[in-house]
Amino acid sequence: MIGEEVARAKILEAVRPLPARRLSILQALDCYAAEDYFARLPLPNFDNSAMDGYAVISGDCRSGARLLVVGEQPAGLDRQLRVSPGQAVRIFTGAPMPAGADAVVMQEDVACDGTEIVVNVDVDLGEFVRKRGCDLGTGQKILSTGERVRGATIALLAAQGFGEIAVGGEVRAGIVSTGDELAKPGEKLQPGQIYESNSLLLQSLLQHCGAIGGSTHCGDDSDSLRQTFQDAAKEQILIVSGGVSVGEHDLVQKVLRGLDAKIDIWRVAIKPGKPFLFGWIGNCAVFGLPGNPVSAFVTFLQFVRPAILKMMGASEVDLPKVPAKLITDLTNDSDRVHYIRGKFENGTFAPFGRQESHALFGLSQSNALLRLAVGESHQSGATVNVQLWD
Ligand code: AMP
Ligand code: MG
């Protein structure tokens, strides 16, 4: 049995980022930038109006001023208008400011009188004008290598005129669920059977990482496991659920060895998840997760997720952590790092449900993990850092 941190470091050292590719900015959602990107244009790119109203000269525009409206500037092509003292230009949100004008008065603050307006407020210099470059200057970094491309990042890239960008490679995973006792959801359960849930859990976790996964089910039978592993090893990673422990029906390790797989890690000091396995079939990274659903979940987040993110070119592979106030005493008396499932809510963390590896309901109600090192102990009210996965 090896330490949890050693196992994680070994896995992260072993996997390599995949070659970068170019994608349209929309397709790049949830991928990781493979280069730094810098602003090509200032934002805004020209002084423009923040309101529908009148472009004016602020010094010329005290309450009661009467101004002649000399033209109209909608958003769109710059009509190259000019405002002189005693004049105003009708203007709309986003329209370029006419030469000479240095403020906009909202249309709600003027009274119209034929071709003239009477201003009902004092107007300050720069009021309702969005100055060129006030949001972003040319050359400013807008996206860093390894940063996740989010919806707002895509909007910014679009606003800068980028049609496509370079991002890290796509991770494709084969999931193999194992176990004679498992029936497909929707099928009729025979006595002694349970519904298979891990492949769905793992597919949703993969999707959440921005990876792609397809799943196959296999009984506890060496021949079918061998054939299935061989097929799945064409992907970049293979995730096996169940069969990695020590019982007579736990055939995964034996079958992997028969395929000349290199097994780097088997059994980690983590609770839940001790029988976790990591190795290689050729260039395919193999993760063997224990069949108990909570063990599969925890070992995915602690070992598989960081590996996938590194392969995708992410600079940050850890789950986000937030401080939380414990609402109960907690001690880890075991000889393994313990990941407690619970609810992070309003700055507090409360363990939820049974802390056993089969207890799926508690997991379904949780949104955070508290890592307790061996011997670590906290009293109610202490501040701890919890990992968020939602
Ligand atoms: P194993 O790791 O194969 O010894 O399985 C440990 C426990 O997890 C057993 O109670 C299995 O029935 C259960 N289990 C294994 N695989 C799955 C799965 N894909 N979905 C739900 N439960 C599973
Ligand atoms: Mg099994």
Side-chain angles (χ1 to χ4, degrees):
M1 189 159 78
I2 66 167
E4 181 234 5
E5 279 165 323
V6 178
R8 193 179 134 89
K10 263 187 142 177
I11 294 167
L12 278 175
E13 203 182 292
V15 298
R16 295 268 156 260
L18 299 169
R21 59 210 161 120
R22 292 191 74 79
L23 291 182
S24 78
I25 55 172
L26 186 57
Q27 285 175 318
L29 180 67
D30 286 335
C31 296
Y32 295 85
E35 290 170 19
D36 291 341
Y37 285 88
F38 299 90
R40 297 162 159 178
L41 308 166
L43 285 181
N45 197 18
F46 48 85
D47 293 356
N48 69 86
S49 176
M51 289 289 168
D52 292 334
Y54 294 86
V56 297
I57 301 168
S58 56
D60 187 31
C61 207
R62 300 273 70 87
S63 184
R66 180 174 278 272
L67 304 171
L68 178 67
V69 180
V70 295
E72 183 173 305
Q73 176 64 68
L77 282 185
D78 190 339
R79 292 182 176 170
Q80 310 280 333
L81 300 177
R82 164 166 289 280
V83 175
S84 301
Q87 295 181 341
V89 161
R90 178 77 171 119
I91 197 162
F92 300 90
T93 306
M97 287 294 287
D102 60 17
V104 171
V105 55
M106 283 200 289
Q107 66 186 43
E108 292 87 334
D109 289 333
V110 307
C112 295
D113 181 10
T115 56
E116 293 182 342
I117 54 169
V118 179
V119 180
N120 296 323
V121 289
D122 290 339
V123 177
D124 293 332
L125 175 70
E127 205 165 7
F128 299 125
V129 177
R130 303 192 286 214
K131 292 295 285 180
R132 174 181 157 90
C134 70
D135 182 21
L136 180 70
T138 309
Q140 220 173 309
K141 195 191 266 189
I142 57 170
L143 179 62
S144 299
T145 306
E147 187 181 331
R148 185 164 65 89
V149 177
R150 297 171 301 137
T153 324
I154 292 174
L156 179 61
L157 289 164
Q160 285 289 320
F162 288 98
E164 54 172 42
I165 58 165
V167 295
E170 177 180 69
V171 173
R172 289 184 317 277
I175 298 167
V176 179
S177 62
T178 73
D180 284 339
E181 74 281 29
L182 302 172
K184 223 181 171 154
E187 285 176 358
K188 191 171 172 346
L189 273 187
Q190 302 298 333
Q193 284 191 318
I194 61 165
Y195 284 122
E196 197 282 311
S197 57
N198 285 350
S199 69
L200 299 142
L201 172 74
L202 293 168
Q203 284 197 67
S204 62
L205 290 170
L206 278 170
Q207 267 179 33
H208 218 233
C209 296
I212 296 170
S215 80
T216 315
H217 180 69
C218 228
D220 295 313
D221 162 73
S222 296
D223 290 338
S224 40
L225 284 171
R226 186 175 307 110
Q227 190 55 53
T228 311
F229 289 173
Q230 247 168 349
D231 292 345
K234 293 178 189 112
E235 306 293 12
Q236 293 135 344
I237 69 173
L238 163 61
I239 305 174
V240 185
S241 143
V244 286
S245 199
V246 290
E248 276 92 273
H249 300 283
D250 293 328
L251 303 171
V252 169
Q253 192 167 169
K254 201 178 97 200
V255 170
L256 284 174
R257 289 197 192 280
L259 287 170
D260 281 337
K262 190 160 93 52
I263 295 182
D264 292 340
I265 295 171
W266 181 54
R267 296 212 290 187
V268 179
I270 182 171
K271 187 175 148 182
K274 180 169 147 188
F276 173 82
L277 174 150
F278 172 72
W280 296 89
I281 304 177
N283 291 323
C284 173
V286 182
F287 297 87
L289 314 189
N292 275 307
V294 185
S295 308
F297 179 82
V298 168
T299 50
F300 182 94
L301 288 186
Q302 304 309 318
F303 303 125
V304 187
R305 180 182 182 274
I308 289 175
L309 294 189
K310 181 171 177 192
M311 292 167 84
M312 292 174 74
S315 52
E316 177 58 70
V317 301
D318 292 338
L319 284 169
K321 272 196 203 140
V322 292
K325 201 169 169 174
L326 258 188
I327 63 142
T328 182
D329 296 349
L330 282 177
T331 299
N332 180 6
D333 296 325
S334 81
D335 60 348
R336 294 179 273 153
V337 166
H338 192 179
Y339 281 91
I340 313 259
R341 287 77 67 195
K343 255 187 189 165
F344 172 73
E345 219 168 29
N346 302 324
T348 65
F349 177 78
F352 194 95
R354 300 181 72 89
Q355 296 293 321
E356 288 159 296
S357 56
H358 66 276
L360 200 44
F361 176 66
L363 180 66
S364 78
Q365 301 301 302
S366 301
N367 62 359
L369 285 174
L370 170 61
R371 180 189 190 275
L372 279 186
V374 174
E376 193 173 342
S377 181
H378 296 286
Q379 288 190 332
S380 176
T383 299
V384 291
N385 284 320
V386 296
Q387 300 178 345
L388 299 181
W389 71 75
D390 255 350

